[in-house]
Amino acid sequence: MPIVTMNVNGKDVSGDVEGRTLLVEFLRENLSLTGTHVGCDTSQCGACVVHVDGKAVKSCSTLALSAEGAKVTTIEGVARNGELHPMQAAFKANHGLQCGFCTPGMVMAGLDIVKRRGKKLKEETIRAELEGNICRCTGYHNIVKSIQDGASKM
Amino acid sequence: MENFDYHRPAKLADAEKIIAKQKEGVLMSGGMTLLPTMKQGLAAPSDVVDLSGLGNVGIKVMKTKVTIKAGTTHAEVAKSGDLKKAIPALAVLAGEIGDPHVRHKGTLGGSIANNDPAADYPAALMALDATIITNKRAIAADKFFKGLFETSLRRGEIVTAVDFPIPEKAGYAKFANPASRYAIVGVFVANHGKAVRVGVTGAGPGVFRQKAMERVLAKDFSADAVAGIATKVDDLNEDMHASAEYRAHLVGVMAKRALKAAK
């Protein structure tokens, strides 16, 4: 069985995987990092978004072996010293979630938007950038508000 | 998903060797189509040769053409300042493929080698009269795309780059499927001075040129010129999203929008 080695949330990790093992499976099953969710399994919903080498990708459409040597950040790696990241805190403050299933992906997508588009985000920019993240509870309104608020506090 | 042996060669020569040995092997670039296809059980290769380790990435703008290496992601094409000056419509097109996460992984080479009938890039390659460069030869876009998921690529042949002649003006407009963002119809128009080319994706079983539009646009490159130019319904796609008649109508509407947006 091939062995994959990568850095996840600042920690070097490795594990036995198959060719077909997806990055999300490696994170959830090998590393027990279950904050990254599998929503649709058809690459559309974005609940599985993590950052690989600084870029937001869908971990359900990424092979674990292709992340060999990569630096991966999941939702578990976002808070610092037991304090929520401003983007996480903003989701709490703005009621940016109901069931919470899509939230890890939304937060990771939100952080990626800030990285690429800056901290002062227009509502329409956020809505367009959330193309790859589906929420079935909120109607997106408070998610957009959360990202706008979180971005401004980063 | 069925299991497979995974390879990630660092050199093109190694990729060639591995794929030549594996009868049931496939090449993968970003994997944004291949992996979902495999997850659905629609493909079960014995070996996956991941080309992302080749580092075949980059955009080079020259005097009369732009060369984009096959492993360049849609995100990289969309944000390239040099490309935005040379062929802005191509950067716009790349920025409308899928969603941000897909654009971080999906590549030009992967998109055209897969030749999905609703993919965006094929329309641009046809309209821009692009040349596809492989490890074996150079292929004109007109000869490359062969209809539904088929290209003139031979077994083991690897797309390495695409050359795009720089047009005087070009524009792209698509009517996207609201769920998948694939084109229900996408039209790319390019004015090369001597000739105008119009590439249509999403409407038919494969990308095609709308030659009736090309003829009138050669005389008058404007949205008004294509008013009333019909697209033959016979060969167009029909599905739950749009009838063939609706797609034919959309070709006209998207052509007008592309012409209005042309820069």
Side-chain angles (χ1 to χ4, degrees), chain A residues 18-20 22 41-44 46 49 55-58 60-63 65-66 68 109 112 116 128-129 131-133, chain B residues 1-4 6 8 28 30-32 35-36 39-40 48 50 76 98-105 178-181:
Chain A
E18 291 184 305
R20 64 179 160 184
L22 298 167
D41 213 25
T42 56
S43 335
Q44 277 162 336
V49 169
K55 286 181 180 140
V57 302
K58 291 177 176 174
C60 83
S61 305
T62 303
L63 296 174
L65 283 168
S66 75
E68 172 70 33
D112 184 61
R116 288 181 293 106
E129 288 284 346
E131 185 63 61
N133 294 78
Chain B
M1 180 159 48
E2 296 293 323
N3 200 21
F4 51 84
Y6 174 82
R8 194 167 183 235
M28 180 175 92
M32 292 296 91
L35 291 173
K39 281 161 77 177
Q40 284 176 39
V48 170
D50 184 347
E76 287 159 341
D99 59 54
H101 323 312
V102 167
R103 293 195 286 273
H104 279 149
K105 293 209 73 173
S180 72
R181 311 317 286 174

Side-chain angles (χ1 to χ4, degrees), chain B:
Chain B
M1 180 159 48
E2 296 293 323
N3 200 21
F4 51 84
D5 287 333
Y6 174 82
H7 312 265
R8 194 167 183 235
K11 288 189 184 137
L12 184 64
D14 294 335
E16 287 172 342
K17 267 184 225 155
I18 299 164
I19 198 70
K21 266 193 274 177
Q22 309 299 341
K23 242 176 145 179
E24 304 292 325
V26 293
L27 298 165
M28 180 175 92
S29 190
M32 292 296 91
T33 303
L34 180 65
L35 291 173
T37 308
M38 287 166 63
K39 281 161 77 177
Q40 284 176 39
L42 298 172
S46 64
D47 292 73
V48 170
V49 183
D50 184 347
L51 301 175
S52 68
L54 303 180
N56 185 31
V57 175
I59 299 169
K60 197 173 166 195
V61 176
M62 286 155 278
K63 211 172 164 200
T64 58
K65 68 170 186 177
V66 176
T67 301
I68 304 182
K69 290 185 178 173
T72 311
T73 64
H74 309 323
E76 287 159 341
V77 173
K79 73 169 185 212
S80 161
D82 289 346
L83 183 68
K84 279 184 196 167
K85 278 183 218 147
I87 317 179
L90 195 56
V92 168
L93 174 147
E96 289 177 355
I97 298 173
D99 59 54
H101 323 312
V102 167
R103 293 195 286 273
H104 279 149
K105 293 209 73 173
T107 68
L108 168 63
S111 170
I112 61 169
N114 185 52
N115 192 19
D116 189 295
D120 297 281
Y121 270 126
L125 268 69
M126 289 292 264
L128 291 169
D129 198 11
T131 302
I132 294 93
I133 316 292
T134 77
N135 55 338
K136 309 267 186 219
R137 58 194 165 133
I139 312 165
D142 279 326
K143 298 225 161 90
F144 181 84
F145 298 108
K146 297 278 183 195
L148 201 67
F149 295 110
E150 284 198 35
T151 67
S152 56
L153 289 171
R154 298 184 193 122
R155 255 209 66 75
E157 192 170 8
I158 301 171
V159 176
T160 57
V162 179
D163 279 345
F164 297 93
I166 299 174
E168 287 180 6
K169 263 186 172 188
Y172 181 64
K174 79 164 157 178
F175 193 82
N177 177 315
S180 72
R181 311 317 286 174
Y182 270 103
I184 289 176
V185 169
V187 178
F188 199 105
V189 296
N191 186 351
H192 297 275
K194 281 182 202 147
V196 170
R197 291 169 65 106
V198 178
V200 180
T201 190
V207 65
F208 63 89
R209 284 169 60 194
Q210 221 298 6
K211 294 194 178 171
M213 286 184 184
E214 292 181 357
R215 281 191 290 274
V216 300
L217 290 171
K219 291 182 205 118
D220 174 15
F221 191 75
S222 76
D224 292 338
V226 296
I229 305 279
T231 300
K232 260 174 79 181
V233 176
D234 299 4
D235 305 325
L236 299 190
N237 294 341
E238 198 150 44
D239 56 26
M240 64 188 282
H241 305 295
S243 66
E245 288 79 7
Y246 186 49
R247 280 189 160 84
H249 175 71
L250 282 178
V251 174
V253 178
M254 291 305 118
K256 279 185 208 163
R257 288 187 191 171
L259 286 157
K260 276 186 190 146
K263 274 193 237 173

Side-chain angles (χ1 to χ4, degrees), chain A residues 79-144:
Chain A
R80 285 279 171 271
N81 308 321
E83 286 221 3
L84 290 180
H85 185 283
M87 186 61 78
Q88 290 174 302
F91 271 74
K92 190 178 169 194
N94 293 279
H95 304 283
L97 58 143
Q98 284 180 31
C99 85
F101 196 85
C102 72
T103 314
M106 291 290 179
V107 171
M108 298 314 284
L111 294 171
D112 184 61
I113 297 170
V114 175
K115 190 176 280 177
R116 288 181 293 106
R117 308 294 298 260
K119 293 177 186 175
K120 271 177 116 180
L121 292 167
K122 282 190 202 147
E123 183 187 332
E124 64 198 53
T125 307
I126 299 170
R127 286 186 185 273
E129 288 284 346
L130 285 180
E131 185 63 61
N133 294 78
I134 294 175
C135 168
R136 296 287 84 148
C137 304
T138 65
Y140 301 97
H141 196 67
N142 286 353
I143 292 174
V144 175

